Amino acid sequence: MIDTVSAIYSGGQLGTAGGECAVDASSAVRRAISEREIAVATPQMVPYEVWKIIASYLTEEDKVNLATSTPWLFRLMEDPTAWESEFARMSPSEFRSHPALRPLWAIRARPYVTVFAGTGEKGSGGEGGQADAAQFTFPYGVAVNGNGEIYVSDMATHTVWKIDRREVLTRVTGTVNVAGRSRDGEPTNTALLKGPAGLAVYTKGDGSDVLYIADSGNDRVVIVEDGRVGTLVPNLKSPMDVAVNLNGVLYAASTWDNVVIKVGRGQAITIVAGTPGINNFSGDGGQARAAEIQAPFAVTVDRDGAVYIGTGARIRRVDEDGIIDTIAGTGLYGDDDNDGAAAVGHRISYPMGLAVDDRDANRKKVYFTDMSNGRLRCIDQGALTTVIGALPPNDLYNFFSQGDDHGELIGTLAPKGTQGAPGGTEAAQQARLGAPRGLAMGPGPGGQYLCFADTLNYVIRRIGI
């Protein structure tokens, strides 16, 4: 059914006993078949236990349809002996083209979302172990380097973590549950952060990473390079996100100053969009530096230099000529739940993470986490669709403190979603997300993925695109 299954078997991670998967097969096979490495293998590579797992993905509607069209298929799934009798003697090509299995292949081609890191339990453990056994308290920022390694910030524990290609979790910087501000040049293993939010990573020619952190509680952007931590941009107002382009130019959302800035070569700082201190909406169709934007929470940049900005109830785009326009939202919070409708005119609520799939220069897709609506969405050719997330109840709202000269996002009241077991999967349209935040696109097994923080479920998820 999939190349990964055969690879796992040959690697001895699952093994077989009496023609069935070993006891620990379920989690590993769920992980394997969720990663979009779908290529039909031989029946010998897909033992009965794997088919039981595949069958568990079926919705009630799927079961009714398949029971009507191919009732014998379900009988086979309940009877290993009958399964072997029907399929074991077939050639691979016969197995792949068997007409009774086509509906099942179609069902498996639907998008599925994987819990990649985190147990789903709130905590701060797991350093040095497998990512799916780790615990997070308030995962926020996500960044992916060119090798597919993932960086995650935990805002509540004041730490930043890395998940390598072996899926091992290590601490990059920050001290667990200790908020502070280190002097510039501090080693990463002893440095202190305060509420790290958005992340961005730039991989240098020698293969090493430069990591940028929106150190929101310290009102600065931090740079992590060569084992040291330093302040790159000071005196911001609760920066919640950062982005970096292909040339290593940094962008930062100074959230409560209502501007997005750019840090060019020589660390020259310029305003890309917004008017300092003015929380308002204006300027569409004109120069972004003369426009007014409302509390930018998210920022990203595409390969052509266009900058995308997520505010409370809109997503705005600054093109290569510096002209700003709204590409999603109305300015009113909520959710019209109208997939396929024009993104401009469809309500959204706190797009806290942004990523652009610009592999096709003529059809760029903008993905975003619609935090208070508990969804991950896509803007494609002007239309808005839901990629992940069932519509949650209409009882979501955010609350802010205004205790000083700029507000601070305290939290989100939102229903806790439900995620699969560590390493597990579920149908993307059925997943319930818990106030998702940071979002990044990058390479993974067999293709490109979106990785995001499912914050109130305390996990990191990913889905192939």
Side-chain angles (χ1 to χ4, degrees), residues 29 43 65 73 99 102 118 120 168 178 301 311 321 354 383:
V29 173
N65 291 339
L73 181 59
R102 288 174 186 162
V168 172
V178 179
V301 59
T311 66
D321 298 318
L354 290 167

Side-chain angles (χ1 to χ4, degrees), residues 42-44 86-96 98 101:
T42 69
Q44 290 79 14
E86 177 70 24
F87 290 114
R89 294 185 178 87
M90 286 186 181
S91 68
S93 61
E94 289 173 328
F95 183 67
R96 293 177 184 129
H98 197 291
L101 298 181

